[in-house]
Amino acid sequence: MTASPPPIGTLPPPGEVPDTMWAQVIRKDRFGDPRTAFQIEELPVPEPKANEVLIGVMAAGINFNNVWAAHGIPIDVIAVRQKAGDPNDFHIGGSDASGVVYAVGDEVEGVAVGDEVITHPGWWNPDDPWIEAGKDPMLGPSAAIWGYNTNFGSFGQFCVAQEHQVLPKAPHLTWEEAAAPTLVGTTAYRMLFGWEGHTLKDDDLVLVWGGSGGLGSQAIQLISNHGARAVAVVSNPERGEYCKRLGAVGYVNRGDFSHWGVPPHWEDAAGQKEWLTGARGFGKAIWDVLGERRNPDIVLEHPGEATVPTSIFVCEPGGMVVICAGTTGYSATVDLRYHWTRQKRFQGSHGTNDEQAVSYNQLVVNGDIDPCLGKIFSFEDIGLAHYEMEQKFETYGNRVALLGAPKPGEGRRC
Ligand code: NAP
């Protein structure tokens, strides 16, 4: 055991755990702009408890959830944990990791020191009666997103995950590639395959908002690999062409429309007419992509307030709008006339369970899914990476930061 943290870009030999580590840390008194909310601090390396695994982090995926954590919106994750009895007054986020196992807690059987692994973000209390009853853990009261709701995520040199979250790293991927896709990929997998009655069928048409982003790039591949068709929504043709390269049959440029946001009240006849013109035009743009009058059976939603009214409108009767976020706002309105008479489903979706994560990771291991690594940041720039994500800087796919991995592409491969 060494007292001081290893330099960034290195890790000690597997099994040699230092006392302290460098981490990018959020504290309540600096909530706000991610560039200042995140600060590098030296903190003790956490110890894995029963059923937990200590991972030396090679690379960490950047996700939108720690943009929210940096702002303390919509929840103050530190305060929520403290209320539940956690003594720590800081947050080490990071919900995607690639790395090497350094230590295992009691009762860990399937993972050993030296294993090269990635993590999935579904976390829950193993004693939760809901889970003990064999129900979907992500619907249980203790379900959480690792590295967002929980502490000691992948923005520290060492992170602690539950054994069931730890999956084999795809041997053909570099550390940074391996750290990129799992949170968004498993979320997209659950959205597409998790909701009985509306699981993806091979003749389905799926509308994918933000097709060139993290979630979207994974969703398009899952859809086209399954034999179904994806139409992406993007903000410019370059992003649309990227989506086509991933397997989308075409794209709609949302910049061609302006009816976004909360629609006028239903009693405002003129406003409604204008809104309907925009929504119908958007629906027609999907038909133009397809060359047939076909509406999406599934709409993969995450922008939220700006787009939900349109998503509900264009969804095929009997189809599903499945949503995992409200990036543009939470006050999405639904014109119920298009919802109940056409018997559509509006389904919330969050995180992943183990089965979904294992199935998704197998596709990555098989080389069937590209991790869509868009941009690599240094450990020092983790705050900047979140700022760029929040400000919608141009990046395709996913962002990652390097911790133990020395340089892009030069990390040890299996
Ligand atoms: P991302 O990589 O930043 O991609 C988001 C995409 O949304 C962008 O590529 C952008 O594409 C599109 N977009 C931006 N503003 C928009 C607007 N006003 N209207 C329509 N589209 C817009 O983010 P991500 O990783 O895909 O995550 C997206 C959201 O899902 C985030 O809020 C994240 O927190 C959430 N999420 C939730 C879960 C969960 O388990 N609940 C898991 C993963 C992600 P264009 O500009 O080209 O349209």
Side-chain angles (χ1 to χ4, degrees):
M1 176 95 87
T2 54
S4 50
I8 293 297
T10 70
L11 279 176
E16 279 184 28
V17 181
D19 290 337
T20 60
M21 63 177 183
W22 298 117
Q24 281 279 8
V25 180
I26 295 171
R27 290 183 185 270
K28 192 179 176 67
D29 61 3
R30 47 182 194 249
F31 275 167
D33 185 329
R35 290 172 298 180
T36 46
F38 285 93
Q39 296 286 332
I40 296 174
E41 296 186 22
E42 183 177 351
L43 288 170
V45 171
E47 265 185 51
K49 302 191 198 78
N51 298 306
E52 288 184 342
V53 177
L54 181 74
I55 299 167
V57 179
M58 285 294 192
I62 309 291
N63 290 292
F64 225 102
N65 56 8
N66 276 284
V67 173
W68 307 126
H71 284 279
I73 296 171
I75 56 166
D76 170 348
V77 289
I78 300 167
V80 172
R81 287 197 296 263
Q82 285 178 318
K83 210 171 157 195
D86 183 344
N88 294 314
D89 59 355
F90 58 83
H91 174 65
I92 305 177
S95 302
D96 267 316
S98 65
V100 179
V101 173
Y102 272 70
V104 297
D106 291 344
E107 295 165 41
V108 170
E109 290 175 350
V111 178
V113 171
D115 285 358
E116 301 194 341
V117 297
I118 57 105
T119 51
H120 83 66
W123 186 100
W124 42 81
N125 181 349
D127 302 329
D128 187 334
W130 176 276
I131 291 157
E132 284 179 334
K135 299 179 187 172
D136 183 349
M138 260 330 278
L139 297 178
S142 68
I145 300 298
W146 177 76
Y148 171 65
N149 303 109
T150 71
N151 212 342
F152 298 108
S154 58
F155 299 152
Q157 287 179 298
F158 293 87
C159 66
V160 169
Q162 296 176 325
E163 181 184 4
H164 69 89
Q165 292 176 254
V166 179
L167 300 175
K169 170 188 169 287
H172 63 286
L173 298 182
T174 61
W175 292 114
E176 59 273 18
E177 287 167 338
T182 310
L183 180 136
V184 284
T186 54
T187 301
Y189 191 96
R190 181 176 177 85
M191 292 171 85
L192 293 166
F193 298 103
W195 303 107
E196 214 171 303
H198 287 88
T199 52
L200 185 69
K201 293 182 277 307
D202 57 12
D203 59 348
D204 274 349
L205 174 67
V206 186
L207 186 72
V208 180
W209 287 98
S212 64
L215 264 175
S217 58
Q218 297 303 298
I220 288 170
Q221 296 181 78
L222 288 167
I223 294 159
S224 64
N225 285 354
H226 199 70
R229 290 186 294 172
V231 172
V233 187
V234 291
S235 52
N236 64 48
E238 292 73 36
R239 288 178 169 268
E241 293 304 320
Y242 174 80
C243 295
K244 283 173 75 172
R245 288 197 292 279
L246 290 175
V249 293
Y251 61 89
V252 177
N253 185 345
R254 67 183 170 91
D256 294 341
F257 302 88
S258 58
H259 64 290
W260 308 119
V262 178
H265 193 266
W266 62 272
E267 288 174 317
D268 171 1
Q272 276 279 311
K273 194 171 170 209
E274 196 181 333
W275 186 85
L276 258 184
T277 304
R280 283 198 178 119
F282 183 81
K284 181 172 178 306
I286 300 172
W287 297 346
D288 289 346
V289 166
L290 297 168
E292 60 173 318
R293 289 165 78 98
R294 175 88 193 268
N295 301 313
D297 304 286
I298 298 176
V299 180
L300 196 123
E301 247 290 347
H302 49 90
E305 185 171 304
T307 54
V308 161
T310 303
S311 293
I312 297 280
F313 181 79
V314 300
C315 182
E316 176 72 2
M320 172 176 74
V321 176
V322 57
I323 184 163
C324 72
T327 319
T328 63
Y330 314 122
S331 297
T333 56
V334 172
D335 187 328
L336 294 170
R337 290 169 293 187
Y338 305 115
H339 192 59
W340 96 72
T341 59
R342 297 170 194 181
Q343 303 182 74
K344 301 173 185 179
R345 175 172 176 179
F346 189 31
Q347 175 67 55
S349 194
H350 190 50
T352 179
N353 64 28
D354 285 338
E355 281 172 17
Q356 291 155 351
V358 166
S359 299
Y360 168 77
N361 191 53
Q362 195 55 53
L363 293 170
V364 178
V365 169
N366 293 349
D368 293 334
I369 295 276
D370 187 294
C372 293
L373 175 55
K375 188 165 178 183
I376 301 169
F377 291 83
S378 66
F379 171 70
E380 290 75 15
D381 283 340
I382 283 178
L384 177 69
H386 287 85
Y387 172 79
E388 290 195 4
M389 190 167 204
E390 180 178 26
Q391 298 301 321
K392 304 183 172 56
F393 280 39
E394 288 277 305
T395 299
Y396 297 109
N398 296 297
R399 297 164 168 87
V400 300
L402 301 180
L403 282 88
K407 272 202 272 171
E410 290 193 5
R412 183 166 47 110
R413 295 171 191 237
C414 291

